[in-house]
Each structure stands twice: as structure tokens, then as C-alpha cells.
Amino acid sequence: MIGLVGGSTTLARCGRQCCLAAQGPRHLTKQQQQQQQRQARPRQRPCRSVNDVAATAVAAEGAAGAEQPPSADDSLADETLDYVQHCQETYGCPGLIDFSEGHNGLPKATLQHPAGPSCEVYLHGAAVTSWRHADGREMLHLRESNTFDGSNPITGGIQIAWPQYGVGALPTHGFLQHLHWSVVDSSWRERGEEEEEDEDEEDELQQYDLDSQDDQLQADQSADSYIDWRPQLSLYASTDSDWEQKWPHKFEALYSITLQQPDPDEQSDVDVAREAAEQFQPWMKRRREEERRDAEAAAAAASASAAAATSAAKQPAANAAAAAMAAAADDPDPQPATPSVLSCLLQIHNCDETPFTFTTGLRTHLVTRDIPSHPKFVKVLGLRGKFILDYTRSALKPGLTVLDEHYVTFGDMVSQNRLFVDCDDEGEVLFCPGNPAHFNIGNAEGFKDIAIVHPAGIVPREARRFVEIDSARAVRKVTLQPGETWVGEMVLSAHDRYWDLPAWEAEDTSLVPLPDQTAELLQPNRTGGELTSEQLGAI
């Protein structure tokens, strides 16, 4: 039988603080009442981002509660299937968040963004095993040695290292990657939740004149035109009896994976001033009046259409997401691929009576072009001047150096295991996989270091196609007092274009990668003279 866990608790994050508090009767604010009303709508739970004031339900051992995933010792396939069905019914949203059986029947979740990107997360080890771009390109590398046996860690993709990053008294990179995690929450966004709450507060505080109402209508239309669905999955793990002797501390871990798009660019002060000046122009007022009438007519038509379709709309979130994906696929003039953003947020809570110390990291294995064939183009930018602890020759006695070059490169196919210290400032760390694209690796919170690992001397053939870049907290250890919670977030952004050229690359374009040569690009230029606009655009 699948075990039950309970004793419901809440891992709540307010601003930049997290705490573990038992749920119980309490007086709700108006904002919390509105939150519950939105959650009460079937299959339409709004997304709760990591910066929102929200509570994420978790389970502790004891009374009845949420089901745990089957352990590696469960021999009956129907138990795994029952758990997958339970997750799909409780936390799934078809087309956005789906649960299924993966390799060797291990439970996994698939997050699908209507804009095209997707990712897969196995509950064993909370391993992110796939992250695909909108065009289907895989961006994460899985190691060839994986067995998916439910016992050994799933290597590659994005792995959690805790409570030990690297080698030490515990197995390399700790034991969270060995545990079976439980699904405790999922969320998605149908419309910017922040905008809805702001509107409610503003309506209560003041009345608007006609011009202000027109401005608000325009802002609402702009907000409706930008909908980032942000499917999110939260997994939970706690103290495991198999590891109590090696790690005699009680803890709880919450891991949230969010697939999203970049936030829209904020307006500059010049644009704000220009729009303010336009409010006093008579012709702009006439235009706003016309737009207001058109919007009212469109709203009336939409309301009538919605009323007619209410009885048939059983799964509005899934239907709307599918419609958004279909519209993007049928677009006769598609725009360049929107950058895909993957946010991985790890929360560790000390529920013991004594403090404990740990190091941690999120180990990301990124797919590259064949490195020996593109030695100048597979590179990391943004670490120049950083102190380096070099563990390549000795895992216990690192050397100390400083990076003097612009790039970290891998073309010589020599093993690397280097930890770059204090990489949580405003500077960007960028990675080019060898083609005209790049990744932005961001230590958003908690993580302080960047590790670069390339096992060319251990798996030379496999190392031709991937590089490991980790967000870590390894140099300055974390000491967590009883009742405290540590939060670490890594944000990866995948851009389908090369980064903005620095001065030295603008002078030497041989450092800039070219796109793969397609059949169209290999066609001779029969018109004579310069290349066509299509050929130039491809470069």
C-alpha cells in the first residue's frame, strides 16, 4: 500500500523570509479571502510566484494527508500508476502540467508552456531531466550511465546537491538526489494575479475621472495582451531514516520549478513622460474615446459569447492554453522565439532543536555543439576577475587563482572542476553552447558561487557535447538555526540569439559563432553581388 502522510504544515514565504508554521483556524484578510475564492474555482488555481505572499501546503509524517510516491522497493506497477493518477487528478492541468510514468515506470511531471517550451521533472531525486526550447531543441544533457532504477541518482539535467556540495563525509553532492520526493502543490496563471489585486485595491481607495478610466482601460488591455501562464510544480522531502546515521538532523525541503517567459520590459522615464504629455493632446483624447467605444463593443460581444459557452467549458485553463498553443502554431508570420526561463527555487527548513551547517548547489548540464569542432564558440562570459578555487587536480586541496581572460573555454578538452567565488552581484554570467544562442545563469537568491565542471578526462566522448555550470553555495557555508529557513534560487534564461557583442568581438568577428549551414544557405547566390536579405538574416 502507498503510505499516507499528514500533520499538515505550511512552508510560507513572506517577501524574502520563510517560516514553517502549523495550519489552523485563523482570521483571514480580504486578500486571503480573495485568494481562497480564486483557488475554489475548479481547475483554475492561480500561479503563486516565489515573490508572492503565499503559503505552500506540505506534509509531515503522522496523520492522514497527501499520498507519497512509491519507493524503489515497490514491485507492483499498479501502485505507481495509482499515484500518477492521483497527482494528475489533484495537481494536473492537461496541456500545462501532466503526470505520467517515465523510464522504468518512475513517476514524472511535464510542464508545457503555451509559448512552446517544456520541461520534465522526475520525482526520484527531484531531477529536471529535460528542458526544450519552443522549436523542440533539447537544452539539458542526461548522462549515458543513467539506469533509472529508483535507487541511484539520475545524473545530468539539473541535480540538487545538499547538504554537501562536492566531496566530503557524505556521498558526493549529498543525499537529496537519492530521495523520493512528494508532489505538494502546482499552480499556473491565467492572467497576471498582481494586476487583479492592484485593481481591487485601487477601486476601493479612489474614484477616477473619465480620462483616468480611459487610461486604466488601456492598461487592462495591455495586461490582457501579455499572459505568461507560468506552470509551476512544488516537490517536498524531509528527514529520511536511511540517512539519519550519516546526517542526524531533522529538516524539510521544498523545491519549486517554474517554466516562464521573461517579464516585460519596464518603461523608461522618457517613455513615461511622453505618455503623460500625450494625455493633454485633443487628438489623443479623441483616439482614446474611439478606442473606449470599440473596447466596450468588443467586451459586450465577448460577454455574450462567454455566456453561451459556459456550460461546455469544463476545463477553461487547459482549453485556453491549448488555444494559445494552436494560435502560435498557425501564425503565418511567426516572431522570433521568446526566451524561455526556468526558475529552480530550493527552500531548506531546520525543524531540529540544534543548528546545522551545509553547502548546496544546483548542477546544470547544458547541451553544446561538438566542442572540439567549435573550440572558440563554446564559452562562458562574465567571470573575468573572479577568484577561482580549482579542484581539478585535488578535490580536497584546491588551488587559488584569478581568471584573467574574457572567457572560460573548453576546446582543449582538458578536465575542469573550478569554483568561481562571489558571483551573486549585478554582473551577468553568459554561456554560449557553440551556436548563435546563449544562456543567462542567474544566482537570484541564496547562491553565491558559480562552478564550471567539464569531465573531459573521465568521459571524453560524452564530454564533447555538454558542459556543467552550477549555481552553488559552497565557499561560505550556511549555518541554519532551529526554526530558520534558507532560500536559494537559480534562474536560467535561454535566448535564441547570440549575446550583445562586446567591444573585442565587434572588432574580431571570428569569435562570433555562425548558424548551422542549412540547405537554403548552401545554395549559390545566382543573382550575383551581395547576399540576399534571407541569407543575411540567418546569420
Side-chain angles (χ1 to χ4, degrees):
M1 294 296 293
I2 298 176
L4 299 179
V5 296
S8 181
T9 55
T10 298
L11 189 60
R13 181 176 178 201
C14 299
R16 299 177 64 86
Q17 300 293 329
C18 293
C19 62
L20 194 70
Q23 288 184 342
R26 63 183 185 274
H27 298 288
L28 300 180
T29 65
K30 181 177 180 180
Q31 181 178 357
Q32 291 171 325
Q33 293 174 353
Q34 293 172 347
Q35 177 81 0
Q36 287 193 351
Q37 292 173 359
R38 285 194 293 268
Q39 291 178 341
R41 294 179 294 179
R43 315 307 307 146
Q44 298 186 36
R45 286 173 291 176
C47 176
R48 293 175 289 177
S49 69
V50 296
N51 291 321
D52 294 336
V53 178
T56 303
V58 298
E61 295 182 359
E67 295 184 49
Q68 289 181 329
S71 66
D73 296 332
D74 291 323
S75 59
L76 298 179
D78 56 349
E79 290 191 4
T80 300
L81 181 59
D82 289 343
Y83 181 73
V84 169
Q85 292 176 345
H86 159 76
C87 290
Q88 183 66 33
E89 295 171 359
T90 308
Y91 305 106
C93 178
L96 285 176
I97 303 174
D98 291 290
F99 295 87
S100 61
E101 292 182 295
H103 295 290
N104 288 341
L106 294 180
K108 71 174 183 178
T110 301
L111 308 184
Q112 177 72 55
H113 198 288
S118 64
C119 73
E120 292 182 356
V121 185
Y122 273 75
L123 303 192
H124 176 60
V128 181
T129 57
S130 175
W131 178 27
R132 292 186 179 274
H133 207 280
D135 59 7
R137 286 182 288 115
E138 180 59 68
M139 294 180 282
L140 297 180
H141 174 82
L142 275 185
R143 300 294 296 275
E144 297 175 354
S145 58
N146 281 311
T147 59
F148 292 92
D149 58 3
S151 177
N152 295 308
I154 299 174
T155 56
I158 302 177
Q159 298 174 254
I160 301 175
W162 189 91
Q164 173 186 292
Y165 180 84
V167 299
L170 295 172
T172 302
H173 298 305
F175 56 80
L176 277 190
Q177 58 184 345
H178 292 262
L179 301 186
H180 297 274
W181 294 61
S182 301
V183 182
V184 294
D185 191 27
S186 66
S187 59
W188 55 88
R189 174 184 294 175
E190 295 183 40
R191 180 172 179 254
E193 182 180 355
E194 295 84 356
E195 287 87 345
E196 290 181 352
E197 295 175 354
D198 290 344
E199 291 167 11
D200 294 339
E201 294 176 0
E202 290 175 358
D203 289 342
E204 294 176 359
L205 292 176
Q206 64 184 65
Q207 297 293 327
Y208 298 98
D209 56 19
L210 180 60
D211 288 343
S212 297
Q213 292 177 3
D214 292 342
D215 297 340
Q216 184 66 27
L217 178 60
Q218 292 178 356
D220 291 346
Q221 293 172 345
S222 176
D224 288 336
S225 65
Y226 177 79
I227 300 178
D228 185 1
W229 290 79
R230 296 194 177 188
Q232 181 185 81
L233 180 70
S234 293
L235 306 178
Y236 172 80
S238 60
T239 306
D240 188 89
S241 57
D242 294 338
W243 295 93
E244 283 183 341
Q245 290 185 350
K246 295 183 177 181
W247 179 258
H249 306 285
K250 296 180 180 179
F251 72 93
E252 291 176 302
L254 187 67
Y255 188 43
S256 300
I257 302 99
T258 307
L259 189 63
Q260 61 191 71
Q261 292 178 299
D263 292 330
D265 296 333
E266 296 183 0
Q267 288 183 311
S268 66
D269 294 340
V270 175
D271 293 334
V272 173
R274 182 185 298 113
E275 290 187 1
E278 289 177 350
Q279 306 306 316
F280 300 98
Q281 298 172 355
W283 52 90
M284 291 300 298
K285 289 187 177 182
R286 290 194 298 269
R287 179 184 301 178
R288 291 199 302 274
E289 180 63 22
E290 294 175 358
E291 293 175 349
R292 184 181 64 81
R293 289 195 296 266
D294 293 343
E296 289 178 350
S303 177
S305 176
T310 298
S311 59
K314 295 182 179 180
Q315 291 183 325
N319 295 341
M325 297 177 64
D330 296 338
D331 187 359
D333 186 20
Q335 299 297 317
T338 302
S340 175
V341 178
L342 186 65
S343 169
C344 300
L345 185 140
L346 178 65
Q347 302 182 57
I348 302 295
H349 176 73
N350 183 354
C351 51
D352 208 337
E353 297 179 353
T354 59
F356 57 71
T357 300
F358 64 87
T359 56
T360 183
L362 296 178
R363 306 171 55 219
T364 305
H365 302 69
L366 295 170
V367 170
T368 69
R369 271 180 167 181
D370 183 65
I371 295 176
S373 302
H374 304 83
K376 295 191 299 184
F377 304 143
V378 181
K379 53 193 176 183
V380 178
L381 175 67
L383 294 173
R384 186 178 185 182
K386 296 294 183 182
F387 284 99
I388 304 172
L389 293 178
D390 194 338
Y391 294 88
T392 304
R393 294 186 177 181
S394 174
L396 298 177
K397 296 181 179 180
L400 178 62
T401 59
V402 177
L403 183 65
D404 294 327
E405 296 80 18
H406 291 297
Y407 310 114
V408 177
T409 58
F410 311 90
D412 54 6
M413 291 299 292
V414 175
S415 290
Q416 297 187 40
N417 186 357
R418 300 195 284 177
L419 187 66
F420 294 79
V421 183
D422 292 338
C423 300
D424 60 336
D425 51 18
E426 297 298 328
E428 292 184 321
V429 178
L430 308 177
F431 173 66
C432 176
N435 56 330
H438 75 278
F439 294 87
N440 189 316
I441 296 94
N443 287 346
E445 182 178 359
F447 295 112
K448 303 292 185 182
D449 313 312
I450 292 288
I452 295 181
V453 181
H454 191 227
I458 302 174
V459 284
R461 182 181 63 83
E462 190 176 357
R464 296 169 66 102
R465 291 287 184 174
F466 83 94
V467 169
E468 178 184 339
I469 304 179
D470 307 343
S471 289
R473 181 68 178 267
V475 177
R476 296 177 175 87
K477 298 181 179 181
V478 178
T479 298
L480 206 58
Q481 299 297 327
E484 289 185 346
T485 301
W486 177 85
V487 181
E489 183 180 17
M490 175 185 70
V491 179
L492 303 175
S493 302
H495 301 261
D496 200 19
R497 61 172 181 80
Y498 191 60
W499 55 55
D500 296 335
L501 297 183
W504 63 89
E505 286 189 351
E507 296 176 358
D508 183 7
T509 57
S510 65
L511 299 173
V512 180
L514 297 177
D516 291 324
Q517 292 183 329
T518 62
E520 292 77 8
L521 290 177
L522 292 176
Q523 292 297 323
N525 181 18
R526 302 184 184 281
T527 61
E530 299 179 353
L531 294 176
T532 65
S533 59
E534 289 80 6
Q535 291 171 319
L536 288 173
I539 298 176

